[in-house]
Amino acid sequence: MNTELWLGLATGVIFGALLQQGRVARFEKQVGAMLLKDMTIFKFMLSAIIVGMIGINLLAALDMIPYSVKPTILGANLIGGLLFGAGWAVMGYCPGTSFAAFAEGRWHAIWSILGMLVGAAIYAEAEPTMRETVMTWGNYGKITLPQILGVSVWLVIPVLVIAFIGLFLLFEKKGV
Amino acid sequence: MKGEVMNNKVSWRPYIAGALLGVLAVLSVYISTNELGKPKFLGASTTFVRAAGMVEKTVAPEHVANNRYMQKEKVKVDWQFMLMVGVLIGSFGAAVLTGSFKKESVPPIWKEKFGSSIGVRAIGAFVGGVVAMFGARLAGGCPSGHGLSGLMQLSVSGFIAMAGFFGAGMIIALLVYGRKEG
């Protein structure tokens, strides 16, 4: 195995351990968030995003790393996003947590994994049609929030951090 | 249960695990940029395309070779593929070491609504999986790629995709499982 594969494996082992220890790889936590009954996955994700967005943008500002922004295509992001959300609710797992759930004993996650493999194969067949239709609806390229707002990254980040912490306080107050 | 919220006591577990994941994401991008010459952001759903391609290749190799999307995403074991293998190992290891490994054949919320049949759960989860992965590939990512990596970079696509994920998730979850009392 080369360096790339070893790095992926090492990163994945920690990623998996954190998903398991954060208790987010569980059907009841995923569906609990959608029912606004248990916001564990939001506490986990938003905490990661707070640390990550400060770190990534700091390193990028120092020219130590490049960004890798996914293109904004309104039709694809939104329609794809809604389809994903619908399937996610029934499965109770997202692609990353399905693996972590399977490995911590929730072996029924295998049905979700098999379904997702078939979904990926079907998408590969449908991709030429998608490319000519949905993928052309509202293509704005690789844009970021500070770019479209015309403000500094360091104005957007504090606003988001305060908003996320506000959500945490709300979750804890409501006991969800 | 250990580590769960007890009425008015705050559980720091998801915040700490999440913050550590943020550190891991930043370190991963930094190390991969230096060691591999390209940044590796966390993601999961592209691996399903590659794995599906590998399975298809065993029965119809020429079909996979002629599929533009499979060729674009490359049917091979790469960084993210190994990341997902690592997730299996890390989650299993952490569960065993902390005594939280728990065999479960049907999730409790599902059981309450649809009974304890493994077949019914299998069909529901499979169909959900098909729809979700089609959506993730169309959207260009899942809650890891769009949610974590996208929002960390303040990408507009990440915010739109996450709104779609959660918006539809809430509506369908309400329809499928209903609101619980309390």
Side-chain angles (χ1 to χ4, degrees):
Chain A
M1 273 204 332
N2 60 26
T3 316
E4 176 182 333
L5 300 185
W6 278 113
L7 273 179
L9 184 68
T11 311
V13 169
I14 307 172
F15 188 19
L18 291 172
L19 288 171
Q20 201 278 330
Q21 284 297 294
R23 303 291 189 250
V24 291
R26 295 181 178 185
F27 180 96
E28 57 271 31
K29 300 289 181 191
Q30 306 262 329
V31 171
M34 296 176 216
L35 295 170
L36 304 177
K37 290 288 175 191
D38 182 341
M39 304 312 273
T40 301
I41 64 167
F42 273 87
K43 296 174 189 177
F44 179 83
M45 276 192 88
L46 297 179
S47 298
I49 291 165
I50 289 176
V51 173
M53 73 181 168
I54 295 171
I56 297 284
N57 285 287
L58 204 59
L59 291 182
L62 296 169
D63 253 339
M64 292 164 86
I65 58 157
Y67 287 106
S68 175
V69 174
K70 291 178 191 285
T72 294
I73 306 168
L74 294 181
N77 295 152
L78 201 61
I79 296 171
L82 292 170
L83 281 173
F84 177 85
W88 179 32
V90 179
M91 269 199 293
Y93 295 112
C94 59
T97 48
S98 67
F99 272 53
F102 180 73
E104 69 166 342
R106 287 158 170 82
W107 68 268
H108 55 78
I110 194 70
W111 312 123
S112 304
I113 294 170
L114 290 173
M116 286 190 283
L117 283 171
V118 172
I122 294 173
Y123 185 78
E125 302 305 317
E127 195 263 354
T129 315
M130 294 296 136
R131 183 180 286 250
E132 283 162 25
T133 55
V134 189
M135 300 289 279
T136 63
W137 302 345
N139 188 344
Y140 292 91
K142 298 177 177 181
I143 50 169
T144 66
L145 206 52
Q147 274 172 6
I148 59 166
L149 295 174
V151 297
S152 160
V153 167
W154 302 107
L155 184 66
V156 177
I157 290 177
V159 170
L160 287 175
V161 170
I162 292 168
F164 292 171
I165 292 175
L167 280 174
F168 294 159
L169 293 172
L170 181 71
F171 297 157
E172 297 306 336
K173 193 175 159 222
K174 297 268 180 199
V176 288
Chain B
M1 248 192 283
K2 281 190 286 190
E4 302 290 308
V5 183
M6 302 290 177
N7 287 334
N8 45 19
K9 197 171 145 270
V10 173
S11 167
W12 289 97
R13 180 185 281 279
Y15 297 113
I16 295 168
L20 290 173
L21 178 61
V23 174
L24 177 72
V26 176
L27 278 178
S28 166
V29 172
Y30 180 73
I31 295 171
S32 55
T33 300
N34 280 289
E35 295 295 321
L36 311 172
K38 53 194 172 184
K40 291 293 179 190
F41 284 87
L42 298 178
S45 60
T46 317
T47 296
F48 285 84
V49 178
R50 300 196 177 106
M54 286 172 197
V55 177
E56 276 183 59
K57 240 177 163 172
T58 61
V59 285
E62 66 292 334
H63 183 74
V64 176
N66 290 330
N67 185 293
R68 188 172 55 176
Y69 187 64
M70 291 282 188
Q71 292 314 307
K72 180 182 147 243
E73 300 295 353
K74 298 189 181 66
V75 182
K76 60 164 191 172
V77 173
D78 71 335
W79 183 88
Q80 195 196 83
F81 198 101
M82 291 311 291
L83 181 85
M84 295 299 284
V85 173
V87 165
L88 284 174
I89 300 170
S91 174
F92 177 73
V96 169
L97 288 175
T98 59
S100 49
F101 185 91
K102 185 178 162 240
K103 257 197 206 167
E104 186 182 274
S105 48
V106 179
I109 297 175
W110 180 276
K111 199 184 277 181
E112 255 174 57
K113 205 76 191 176
F114 301 101
S116 52
S117 157
I118 290 175
V120 174
R121 172 59 193 157
I123 293 166
F126 184 87
V127 173
V130 171
V131 174
M133 187 50 68
F134 190 95
R137 292 327 306 158
L138 181 60
C142 62
S144 292
H146 262 318
L148 294 171
S149 303
L151 262 58
M152 283 175 191
Q153 299 180 80
L154 306 172
S155 159
V156 173
S157 54
F159 287 94
I160 296 171
M162 278 304 285
F165 295 165
F166 199 64
M170 271 176 72
I171 295 166
I172 302 299
L174 200 60
L175 291 173
V176 175
Y177 310 106
R179 262 193 94 81
K180 297 267 197 60
E181 63 289 345

